[in-house]
Amino acid sequence: MKIKSVLSMGLVFTGLAIGGFTYINASAKYDGKHAIPTELRGTWYHYVGSNKWTTYKLTKNRFF
């Protein structure tokens, strides 16, 4: 039982050491700072009550 715990701890420390040496600093430029995300675009409906609905339409650059 002790051998398994020592072996598993050794594997954990080895993985952490390898992970520490392979750190990559990634950066990306985001161009759509003022655009609505594609996941939110489209027509959205909100139920107000008594069979009344409010409609919201989201396009790339407009919300109305």
Side-chain angles (χ1 to χ4, degrees), residues 15-25:
L16 290 173
I18 292 172
F21 290 123
T22 59
Y23 176 74
I24 299 172
N25 188 9

Side-chain angles (χ1 to χ4, degrees), residues 29-55:
K29 184 179 179 184
Y30 177 63
D31 290 330
K33 294 179 183 174
H34 301 289
I36 295 173
T38 55
E39 294 87 7
L40 298 177
R41 294 179 198 168
T43 305
W44 293 74
Y45 300 98
H46 176 72
Y47 183 69
V48 180
S50 349
N51 295 329
K52 295 181 182 177
W53 294 85
T54 304
T55 306

